[in-house]
Amino acid sequence: MAKEKKTPRPKAETPKGFRDYFGAQVTQRTQMLRQIAEVYHRYGFDPLETSGVETVEALGKFLPDVDRPNEGVFAWEEDSDWLALRYDLTAPLARVAAQYRNDLPSPYRRYAMGPVWRNEKPGPGRFRQFYQCDADTVGAPSVAADAEICAMLSDTLEAVGIKRGDYVIRVNNRKVLNGVLEVAGLAGDDKEAARGIVLRAIDKLDRLGVDGVRALLGEGRKDESGDFTKGAGLDDQQAEVILRFFDWETSRKNLVRQGINASLMLENDDWQSWLNAGISADPQLRKGLDDPENADELRNRMAIFHLADLVRDSSIGMEGVRELKEIADLLSAQGYGPDRIVIDPSVVRGLGYYTGPVYEAELTFEVTDEKGNVRNFGSVAGGGRYDDLVKRFTGQEVPATGVSIGVDRLLAALHATGRLDTKDVGPVVVTVMDKARMADYQTMVAELRNAGVRAEVYLGNPKNFGNQLKYADKRNSPIAIIAGGDEFEKGIVQIKDLILGAQMAENATLEEWKDRPSQIEVARTDLVAEVQKMLAGQQESQS
Amino acid sequence: MAKEKKTPRPKAETPKGFRDYFGAQVTQRTQMLRQIAEVYHRYGFDPLETSGVETVEALGKFLPDVDRPNEGVFAWEEDSDWLALRYDLTAPLARVAAQYRNDLPSPYRRYAMGPVWRNEKPGPGRFRQFYQCDADTVGAPSVAADAEICAMLSDTLEAVGIKRGDYVIRVNNRKVLNGVLEVAGLAGDDKEAARGIVLRAIDKLDRLGVDGVRALLGEGRKDESGDFTKGAGLDDQQAEVILRFFDWETSRKNLVRQGINASLMLENDDWQSWLNAGISADPQLRKGLDDPENADELRNRMAIFHLADLVRDSSIGMEGVRELKEIADLLSAQGYGPDRIVIDPSVVRGLGYYTGPVYEAELTFEVTDEKGNVRNFGSVAGGGRYDDLVKRFTGQEVPATGVSIGVDRLLAALHATGRLDTKDVGPVVVTVMDKARMADYQTMVAELRNAGVRAEVYLGNPKNFGNQLKYADKRNSPIAIIAGGDEFEKGIVQIKDLILGAQMAENATLEEWKDRPSQIEVARTDLVAEVQKMLAGQQESQS
């Protein structure tokens, strides 16, 4: 018999599209998730942790064909069941809400944090496993639930270190879009194709600008390469209605020119009289419209006026406007003004997916991207209301609303603002001058640890002392402890300030270093106290 | 064309063998992982988080056959690569240690926490996804690294709330077993089959007892059903050597009867003279052997004597004994005596897998199991030295040692000792008497939250007030806030003590409740202060 072939060595490679996280990358995310969980918890949300694996049947949307499931999820067949890795945290919530519907409180506020997996083609910055951090309220039909999530999102961003003024939460409503489509003559089953083209067109507002979108709403658009994309075939007036909804900047300017029609009919008495009084009776609003720079606190009132004017002939549209006004009122009563949360008709993202209010958190400070362009940091969280969550399973409609925070993007934002160090402070390293004294060295680290100091003994081959200091450098260690035969005999240890040492090496000529020696000799019994003193001094000189 | 068939509703079910974790189950695990991470971090270990997915090639051991991989892992084919969910945290560490070997510090101390997946048949208490929490040192050949991990494991157990005396960390060594096998005449390539039978037999010591194992070491064993298992075919003397190693209880008694041969030849001078002096010259040890109840601090010395005596003719065996003595000495110098960490030849688990020291943390308090039997809680963590970690990838041998904590078992242990509540305290619930005043209710919860009080407004249908109180009960809420038109008019709110209310409902006749009303009326402006006062009172009366 031939001898078995030797198996070739396996490749040591992270699978394509996946990542490894080291040191501070892990601790910083863990800390951020803890800060987020604290806010969610204070708002009455309970944690839920489902497993990474679901049946393909329960996940929905992705169903297996003959021998391989559709793109989008990682799936496999297991004892005649198709199983898959979850692609978000909402699908498992839907399954849980249906499965435990008799045991869970209703409304059910839950948060969930963990990895999700997407079977996408790997590309730069696109990963196949990433963290999501969601909070959802299931079973609450009132927009008070949406307002609550917006307030919570605001508190959350500040809790993790995003300063007020550096973010804004924008709120829009799918029902208003439906009203706009209705007003534009795009209601009805026969217009579904046109509505699809319109939704895809406005999704490109950022990239193509108003003129590009206008072309796509009309006959179509030829791009720079000469390729032609067929449009929705709207006439100018129809396209204008759509654009007045999304192009909020232009609409705001037009508001000043045209004034607002005050004859709107609304159910809510207070608001009706407010609207009836009209823009002329509201000098503050007048002022805001004239001078948008000073109009921050009037932003939400202006947007609601504008939307009501736009969809006043559509009952679904006006329902959406009323919901937006209720959200703005609830938030304003709790002190969340337009400096944090704004009604913004230009929010496009998620409008196709959600059924009511949608919200998006955007970081407004500027960063320089890979191509050297300065731009706003952009979106870090989004969500909205989706009322068919549990229906797939039970046939019963259950209202739900929720938000998902992009954990990795939010971490990147904190790095961009300089609020997170990229490097952890390493441990104090006790070097090994004499292998036979290992018990003495381990006793030193035990004393340091018991005093709360991160510390370790060098456990590599101690023969080359230079290697031990190189190791300490690689660990980003603040201090090295040195003790050989002489020191033990005299009852002393050497404490080496590695941070000062590195600074001195860089600026060897500076006078100021002269009276701060980078290495001191102390009594063995003072080891812990002297190390703590040096660490405190290092922290002071770095802050 | 026929109309498309309606898809049947999907089943809302957790996939077989998987679990959902709710509320306190999640927060308690999160808190425990944080406490563990703090200890690991203080010891100089750095976090590493790899993704849940690895290539089957890198995971090793499990290779795909024609169109489906072996049992044990969940795997699938993806663009001609086989991918799989990791089955532990050690295999990904091996891949990382090889992949980043030029960038990582050496030695590399890392910890990792996260879910792992096993493709096992689901059964009671056996899950296909569970948490592991590992710490490993890669690139440190010295047993000082093993000693460090044992000390860290001890600190970790105490940090999560296991009291000293309620646990013990047992240490054994694969090299001593190799020495024992050699002494028993089982060395050499031709004895591999017999060695396998011996290893499997001693793994059953707990279940079969000494006599059962003795039969398996000899000709074989007939079990109660009459089935015969062929034995290793050892003669009585050979079997006796094996049993003297594992049956430490009997060996300890025999030690007293026989005394210890003091003529052992060892390299280390100190130890040699100590051994040479023998048991008769060590009155403390004599006393310990005579009276095992008082011999706690002598346990390790006794075990080492015993092992040295057993394997003195095997050089690999004596190397193992020396390693155990070094570990015991290092730990004892740092104050970790046999009340926490013991040398224990009866540790079997892991001996087949590891190459040097093995260690196991056992909780020694008693619990009543599902069948009503009182037994020790048992093992919650284990580990050891394995020196072929990176070799699979690079061909280079890299020494490594590490421990894995069974997170779910450790949590179960804390519950068994009554150290964890099964229920979270719920939020203060602000009830809704008047839907139009939602902004007022949300302002109340905002005030409470800003004062750090977990609070929420009821967001279900407010029509039936009883449902609101049932909801608060289901949430385990300590307090309900009630305010309707009357209260708003008078500028007051009602604060209802739900915990006192529940106690009163259970013990309605008790006199003591009389002067503690379960519902109080306070000024709206005092809401936050009064809620805090009531919460503090509840905590006091519960502790």
Side-chain angles (χ1 to χ4, degrees):
Chain A
M1 251 171 96
K3 222 184 158 184
E4 258 187 280
K5 255 201 247 169
K6 222 179 150 187
T7 334
R9 279 186 201 143
K11 281 193 283 291
E13 279 175 6
T14 319
K16 282 185 213 80
F18 292 90
R19 292 176 71 180
D20 301 306
Y21 295 85
F22 294 90
Q25 294 172 329
V26 178
T27 48
Q28 287 167 355
R29 184 176 53 207
T30 304
Q31 194 198 338
M32 201 180 80
L33 292 177
R34 183 164 81 226
Q35 291 164 334
I36 295 173
E38 272 166 20
V39 178
Y40 286 1
H41 184 262
R42 200 159 66 239
Y43 270 79
F45 285 70
D46 274 346
L48 166 68
E49 187 171 323
T50 59
S51 67
V53 177
E54 295 279 344
T55 64
V56 166
E57 181 189 2
L59 278 185
K61 221 160 114 185
F62 302 94
L63 289 168
D65 53 29
V66 185
D67 60 7
R68 223 188 118 178
N70 290 351
E71 288 289 299
V73 292
F74 292 107
W76 62 92
E77 199 171 7
E78 201 66 61
D79 306 330
S80 80
D81 274 344
W82 275 93
L83 298 177
L85 292 176
R86 64 185 178 201
Y87 57 86
D88 71 5
L89 300 173
T90 309
L93 171 62
R95 194 257 305 154
V96 165
Q99 183 174 347
Y100 303 91
R101 61 189 177 282
N102 297 325
D103 305 312
L104 291 173
S106 176
Y108 177 46
R109 287 179 176 90
R110 88 87 181 78
Y111 70 84
M113 306 174 157
V116 301
W117 291 265
R118 301 271 169 93
N119 191 353
E120 292 188 278
K121 268 226 165 329
R126 288 173 73 192
F127 293 101
R128 301 167 99 183
Q129 173 177 332
F130 53 91
Y131 266 74
Q132 282 194 340
C133 179
D134 286 20
D136 294 80
T137 302
V138 179
S142 147
V143 293
D146 302 274
E148 177 178 273
I149 290 204
C150 290
M152 185 165 75
L153 185 52
S154 166
D155 286 8
T156 302
L157 292 174
E158 295 186 18
V160 303
I162 305 291
K163 277 182 293 193
R164 200 170 296 182
D166 272 355
Y167 71 92
V168 64
I169 294 161
R170 304 182 193 282
V171 186
N172 200 356
N173 195 319
R174 169 69 202 228
K175 289 178 183 167
V176 181
L177 170 64
N178 286 350
V180 167
L181 291 171
E182 199 180 305
V183 170
L186 290 169
D189 285 349
D190 57 324
K191 304 280 170 54
E192 205 178 323
R195 284 201 300 273
I197 298 178
V198 168
L199 283 173
R200 282 193 297 279
I202 56 187
D203 217 11
K204 296 175 184 155
L205 191 61
D206 265 0
R207 198 155 52 81
L208 303 182
V210 172
D211 289 340
V213 172
R214 192 188 301 271
L216 284 174
L217 294 176
E219 289 312 310
R221 176 176 176 274
K222 195 182 274 188
D223 67 17
E224 285 126 39
S225 73
D227 285 347
F228 185 77
T229 310
K230 199 176 171 302
L234 307 192
D235 63 27
D236 286 356
Q237 211 181 340
Q238 287 177 304
E240 200 53 40
V241 172
I242 308 283
L243 286 169
R244 275 185 66 207
F245 179 48
F246 288 108
D247 186 9
W248 174 222
E249 271 313 301
T250 308
S251 297
R252 199 156 63 166
K253 286 173 199 147
N254 289 341
L255 269 181
V256 183
R257 224 174 27 241
Q258 298 166 4
I260 292 174
N261 187 324
S263 66
L264 306 164
M265 296 301 292
L266 294 160
E267 282 167 32
N268 182 307
D269 282 344
D270 272 1
W271 193 28
Q272 192 177 345
S273 63
W274 182 62
L275 285 171
N276 281 339
I279 190 165
S280 52
D282 190 335
Q284 268 211 298
L285 182 56
R286 174 90 254 163
K287 187 162 159 274
L289 291 170
D290 287 343
D291 183 3
E293 289 298 312
N294 290 322
D296 264 2
E297 75 268 36
L298 296 169
R299 278 189 69 128
N300 289 347
R301 244 199 265 187
M302 283 169 62
I304 287 159
F305 257 111
H306 165 63
L307 291 176
D309 186 41
L310 197 60
V311 299
R312 58 183 143 157
D313 295 329
S314 157
S315 69
I316 182 79
M318 284 309 289
E319 193 180 315
V321 173
R322 266 193 303 276
E323 287 181 1
L324 286 175
K325 179 168 189 301
E326 197 178 333
I327 290 174
D329 287 348
L330 285 169
L331 288 170
S332 152
Q334 294 168 71
Y336 296 86
D339 57 330
R340 290 189 263 176
I341 304 175
V342 299
I343 305 298
D344 189 336
S346 68
V347 172
V348 171
R349 199 181 139 207
L351 274 186
Y353 174 68
Y354 294 109
T355 57
V358 299
Y359 26 90
E360 181 169 35
E362 191 189 321
L363 303 190
T364 50
F365 56 81
E366 290 179 338
V367 289
T368 307
D369 67 15
E370 318 82 58
K371 291 174 186 160
N373 300 321
V374 174
R375 54 169 186 81
N376 278 4
F377 188 89
S379 175
V380 291
R385 177 168 285 275
Y386 50 103
D387 285 346
D388 51 359
L389 179 74
V390 185
K391 201 179 177 186
R392 280 186 58 236
F393 294 101
T394 64
Q396 227 179 342
E397 200 155 281
V398 177
T401 184
V403 68
S404 183
I405 293 180
V407 176
D408 293 313
R409 274 192 63 74
L410 192 49
L411 270 177
L414 291 172
H415 279 289
T417 59
R419 300 205 142 234
L420 287 177
D421 282 335
T422 41
K423 260 188 148 179
D424 241 350
V425 176
V428 170
V429 170
V430 174
T431 59
V432 174
M433 304 291 284
D434 178 357
K435 220 174 163 177
R437 294 192 190 266
M438 186 53 88
D440 295 307
Y441 298 126
Q442 288 215 336
T443 304
M444 290 181 197
V445 289
E447 284 173 23
L448 287 166
R449 282 173 196 145
N450 289 340
V453 175
R454 190 181 191 205
E456 56 169 54
V457 69
Y458 180 73
L459 285 181
N461 187 338
K463 270 190 187 153
N464 182 335
F465 189 71
N467 278 349
Q468 300 198 42
L469 290 184
K470 269 184 215 155
Y471 170 84
D473 186 51
K474 208 161 199 174
R475 293 302 313 274
N476 202 25
S477 297
I479 288 172
I481 310 295
I482 303 166
D486 280 1
E487 281 82 4
F488 281 106
E489 208 167 290
K490 291 192 212 154
I492 58 167
V493 289
Q494 309 281 345
I495 305 185
K496 194 174 170 66
D497 186 332
L498 297 175
I499 290 173
L500 186 63
Q503 287 168 334
M504 286 172 75
E506 273 180 31
N507 311 284
T509 57
L510 284 183
E511 277 299 303
E512 55 174 310
W513 303 125
K514 280 201 178 153
D515 49 345
R516 260 185 86 189
S518 77
Q519 186 167 327
I520 56 172
E521 196 177 290
V522 306
R524 169 67 184 81
T525 46
D526 295 338
L527 172 68
V528 172
E530 291 290 339
V531 165
Q532 286 177 319
K533 209 164 93 184
M534 191 178 281
L535 286 173
Q538 289 174 346
Q539 277 201 319
E540 214 167 277
S541 74
Q542 282 187 331
S543 62
Chain B
M1 252 171 92
K3 221 183 160 185
E4 256 186 281
K5 254 200 245 168
K6 222 179 152 188
T7 333
R9 280 185 201 144
K11 280 192 286 288
E13 278 175 8
T14 319
K16 282 185 215 81
F18 292 89
R19 292 177 69 181
D20 301 307
Y21 295 85
F22 294 89
Q25 294 172 330
V26 179
T27 48
Q28 287 167 356
R29 185 178 51 208
T30 304
Q31 193 198 339
M32 201 179 79
L33 291 177
R34 183 163 81 228
Q35 291 165 332
I36 295 174
E38 272 166 21
V39 178
Y40 286 1
H41 184 262
R42 201 158 67 238
Y43 270 78
F45 285 69
D46 274 347
L48 166 68
E49 187 170 323
T50 60
S51 67
V53 177
E54 296 279 343
T55 63
V56 166
E57 181 190 1
L59 278 186
K61 219 159 115 186
F62 302 95
L63 289 168
D65 52 27
V66 184
D67 59 7
R68 222 188 121 179
N70 291 349
E71 288 288 300
V73 293
F74 292 109
W76 62 92
E77 199 172 8
E78 203 64 61
D79 306 329
S80 80
D81 274 344
W82 275 93
L83 297 178
L85 292 176
R86 64 183 178 201
Y87 57 87
D88 71 6
L89 299 173
T90 309
L93 170 62
R95 195 257 303 155
V96 164
Q99 183 173 346
Y100 303 90
R101 61 188 178 283
N102 297 325
D103 305 313
L104 291 173
S106 176
Y108 176 46
R109 286 179 176 89
R110 88 90 180 77
Y111 71 84
M113 305 173 156
V116 300
W117 292 265
R118 301 272 169 93
N119 192 351
E120 292 187 277
K121 268 225 165 332
R126 287 173 73 192
F127 294 102
R128 301 167 101 183
Q129 173 177 332
F130 53 92
Y131 265 74
Q132 284 194 338
C133 179
D134 287 19
D136 294 80
T137 302
V138 180
S142 145
V143 294
D146 301 274
E148 178 178 273
I149 291 206
C150 291
M152 184 166 77
L153 184 53
S154 166
D155 286 8
T156 301
L157 292 175
E158 294 185 18
V160 303
I162 305 291
K163 276 182 293 192
R164 199 169 299 181
D166 273 355
Y167 72 91
V168 65
I169 295 161
R170 304 183 194 282
V171 185
N172 200 355
N173 195 317
R174 169 69 200 227
K175 289 177 184 169
V176 181
L177 171 63
N178 287 349
V180 167
L181 292 170
E182 199 180 303
V183 169
L186 289 168
D189 286 349
D190 57 324
K191 305 281 169 52
E192 205 178 322
R195 285 200 299 271
I197 298 178
V198 167
L199 283 173
R200 284 194 295 280
I202 56 186
D203 217 12
K204 294 175 184 157
L205 190 61
D206 265 1
R207 197 154 55 79
L208 304 182
V210 173
D211 289 341
V213 172
R214 193 188 301 272
L216 284 174
L217 293 176
E219 289 313 309
R221 177 176 175 273
K222 196 182 272 185
D223 67 17
E224 285 126 41
S225 72
D227 284 348
F228 185 77
T229 309
K230 198 175 171 302
L234 308 191
D235 63 27
D236 286 358
Q237 211 181 339
Q238 288 177 304
E240 200 51 40
V241 172
I242 308 285
L243 286 170
R244 274 185 66 204
F245 179 48
F246 287 107
D247 185 10
W248 174 220
E249 270 313 302
T250 309
S251 297
R252 200 156 63 165
K253 284 173 200 149
N254 289 341
L255 269 181
V256 182
R257 225 173 27 240
Q258 297 164 6
I260 291 173
N261 187 323
S263 66
L264 306 164
M265 296 301 292
L266 294 160
E267 282 166 31
N268 181 307
D269 281 344
D270 273 2
W271 194 30
Q272 191 178 345
S273 64
W274 182 62
L275 285 171
N276 280 340
I279 190 167
S280 53
D282 190 335
Q284 269 209 298
L285 182 55
R286 173 90 254 163
K287 187 161 158 274
L289 291 170
D290 288 344
D291 183 4
E293 289 299 313
N294 291 320
D296 265 3
E297 75 268 36
L298 295 169
R299 279 189 68 129
N300 290 346
R301 242 198 267 185
M302 284 167 62
I304 288 159
F305 257 111
H306 165 62
L307 292 175
D309 186 41
L310 198 60
V311 299
R312 60 182 143 157
D313 296 329
S314 157
S315 69
I316 183 78
M318 284 310 288
E319 193 181 313
V321 175
R322 266 192 304 273
E323 287 182 0
L324 286 175
K325 180 169 188 298
E326 197 177 332
I327 290 174
D329 286 348
L330 285 169
L331 289 169
S332 152
Q334 295 168 70
Y336 296 87
D339 57 329
R340 290 190 265 174
I341 305 176
V342 299
I343 305 298
D344 189 336
S346 70
V347 172
V348 171
R349 200 180 140 209
L351 275 186
Y353 175 68
Y354 295 109
T355 58
V358 299
Y359 27 90
E360 182 170 33
E362 191 189 321
L363 303 189
T364 50
F365 56 80
E366 290 180 336
V367 288
T368 308
D369 66 16
E370 318 82 59
K371 291 173 188 161
N373 300 321
V374 174
R375 53 168 187 80
N376 277 4
F377 189 88
S379 175
V380 291
R385 178 168 284 275
Y386 49 103
D387 286 345
D388 51 358
L389 179 74
V390 185
K391 200 180 176 185
R392 280 185 58 234
F393 294 101
T394 64
Q396 229 180 340
E397 199 155 280
V398 176
T401 185
V403 69
S404 183
I405 292 180
V407 175
D408 293 311
R409 275 193 61 75
L410 192 49
L411 270 175
L414 291 172
H415 279 289
T417 59
R419 298 205 143 233
L420 287 177
D421 282 335
T422 41
K423 260 188 149 178
D424 242 350
V425 176
V428 170
V429 170
V430 175
T431 59
V432 174
M433 303 292 283
D434 178 357
K435 220 175 163 177
R437 295 191 190 265
M438 187 54 86
D440 294 308
Y441 298 126
Q442 289 216 338
T443 305
M444 291 181 197
V445 289
E447 285 173 22
L448 287 166
R449 282 173 197 144
N450 289 340
V453 175
R454 189 179 191 205
E456 56 168 56
V457 69
Y458 180 73
L459 286 181
N461 187 337
K463 270 189 185 153
N464 182 334
F465 189 69
N467 278 349
Q468 300 198 43
L469 290 184
K470 268 184 216 154
Y471 170 84
D473 186 50
K474 210 163 199 173
R475 293 302 314 273
N476 201 24
S477 297
I479 287 172
I481 310 295
I482 304 166
D486 280 0
E487 281 82 5
F488 280 106
E489 208 167 288
K490 293 191 212 153
I492 57 167
V493 289
Q494 309 281 344
I495 305 183
K496 194 174 171 64
D497 185 333
L498 298 175
I499 289 173
L500 187 63
Q503 287 169 335
M504 285 172 76
E506 272 179 34
N507 309 286
T509 57
L510 283 182
E511 277 299 303
E512 54 174 312
W513 304 124
K514 280 203 176 150
D515 50 344
R516 260 185 87 185
S518 77
Q519 184 167 326
I520 57 172
E521 196 177 289
V522 305
R524 167 69 184 82
T525 45
D526 295 338
L527 172 68
V528 173
E530 291 290 339
V531 165
Q532 286 177 318
K533 210 164 91 184
M534 191 177 282
L535 286 173
Q538 289 175 345
Q539 276 201 320
E540 215 168 280
S541 73
Q542 283 187 330
S543 62

